[in-house]
Amino acid sequence: MTREQFIKFKADLLCFGAALSDKAREMLILEHPHFFDKGFIDAVNMNVLGSNICVSIAEAFSENSKYVLDFSDGAYFIEAFNEKAPVRFFPQLPKTNTIIDEIAVLHADGCINIWPSTNCCYDKPDIKCKFCSLLPKTKAPIPVEVLCDGLKKLMAQVPDYTLNFSGATYKSPDIMVDYWCSLAKGIREFSNCPIAVEFAPPSDLSLLEKLKESGVTVAIMNIEIVAEELRKKICPGKSAITLEHYHKALKKAVEVFGRGQVSSVMIGGIQPFEDIKKECEYLTSIGVFPTIMPFRPLDDCTFFDVTSCNPDLLIEISEYLGALLRKEHLAPECQEGCTKCGGCSIENDCYLEGKTEIRYIV
């Protein structure tokens, strides 16, 4: 499969998900029953031809995908461009007999993803982000001491792994950042592993320094929607954080964490790609790594009946971003966590153009 074919294949999977053959469904129910949970955080993380991909298989839209996850001769595969691309799922983490066993999953080799908070201050009638499918499964973030108890047991078994934390914004961005600071401090008592954290920018930007001092390695603050008026329509609550404040926070974060150690997600397919292009130019110029995540109409989001992102447009803007990343020397592998994983987007794959090795050409 050529580079161009693979990027098309991955973009299609991200935007449209994968259907299941009867045999694959039968085997997944036995081996990976949690794959059938709905929602963004429960999409299937897999590695195909050396690239990580986050693929929806449990949502209504994925049933109509032209790609079929199949199983035969003891292995999973997806056929594309007249080839059977082998699919590798990441192994289960070692057991700790704590809450960690329920919430920690591998999104990539050596990268553990955890959502300690699902109760969001923006998850209220009329103000919830319309692309969000997160359901409030917890009333408050899991207590730091409870998380650290489990993480200490886990990291003793996988000491070289990266911890990547995401989660709903509990009560306010500032309160949530305080939580991340406490958690990072607790982890630093038993581990020196990289820690990446996704959070909304706090009103008090000095908290970014506190995050770094607490032990956080990578800061992720997601703009998501660029144009202010459109942000107010799509993110009625979160749009109270202006784009100007995001820019101030991201600039400050680069000063604190370092160039290439800060990233921001924008969502493709529900806003003009020209807006994303201009924002990518700005963010890369200040040392921020942009990620373009395609919109997909998850069953539990307000936009469940909106069309998925056009994969060809996603490829076009991601190739443009890949060139910007090369120009600014912002290599995906230099940032731990979500950016290095690259499973939710294709700019990492587009970045590889011109490299001596393209890992997924076979």
Side-chain angles (χ1 to χ4, degrees), residues 52-107:
N52 302 321
I53 314 179
C54 181
V55 182
S56 294
I57 66 168
E59 310 289 337
F61 73 89
S62 62
E63 296 174 4
N64 299 316
S65 174
K66 67 179 181 180
Y67 296 105
V68 178
L69 177 61
D70 206 347
F71 181 90
S72 68
D73 299 325
Y76 293 93
F77 66 90
I78 300 174
E79 188 167 344
F81 296 100
N82 299 315
E83 295 182 28
K84 289 185 177 181
V87 171
R88 177 172 65 88
F89 300 123
F90 301 105
Q92 290 191 353
L93 290 163
K95 295 298 181 183
T96 64
N97 296 315
T98 71
I99 196 169
I100 290 297
D101 298 342
E102 301 173 22
I103 62 173
V105 293
L106 284 175
H107 277 197

Side-chain angles (χ1 to χ4, degrees), residues 153-174:
K153 294 181 171 88
L154 177 62
M155 299 310 289
Q157 302 176 76
V158 287
D160 297 326
Y161 282 26
T162 292
L163 292 174
N164 190 92
F165 293 100
S166 301
T169 303
Y170 180 66
K171 290 191 175 179
S172 77
D174 292 46

Side-chain angles (χ1 to χ4, degrees), residues 184-299:
K185 281 183 179 179
I187 293 170
R188 285 294 174 243
E189 293 181 4
F190 57 83
S191 176
N192 290 320
C193 69
I195 300 174
V197 179
E198 181 178 358
F199 57 94
S203 60
D204 179 2
L205 295 186
S206 69
L207 288 174
L208 298 175
E209 296 173 350
K210 185 179 176 183
L211 263 178
K212 176 67 173 178
E213 292 165 0
S214 299
V216 172
T217 312
V218 171
I220 307 169
M221 290 179 279
N222 299 329
I223 291 171
E224 294 158 338
I225 306 298
V226 178
E228 293 285 14
E229 289 305 311
L230 190 57
R231 291 179 71 235
K232 291 175 183 177
K233 293 177 181 178
I234 296 178
C235 308
K238 196 175 179 182
S239 61
I241 307 173
T242 64
L243 182 63
E244 180 184 10
H245 187 68
Y246 266 96
H247 286 172
K248 288 180 180 178
L250 290 165
K251 275 187 173 181
K252 177 69 174 180
V254 171
E255 293 174 9
V256 173
F257 292 90
R259 184 179 175 82
Q261 300 307 306
V262 181
S263 61
S264 185
V265 168
M266 285 168 283
I267 301 176
I270 52 175
Q271 62 184 316
F273 272 95
E274 190 62 28
D275 290 353
I276 297 177
K277 178 180 177 180
K278 291 178 180 178
E279 191 65 18
C280 286
E281 292 171 350
Y282 173 73
L283 293 179
T284 55
S285 74
I286 64 171
V288 174
F289 192 110
T291 294
I292 305 170
M293 188 179 297
F295 170 77
R296 41 192 169 181
L298 303 167
D299 291 352

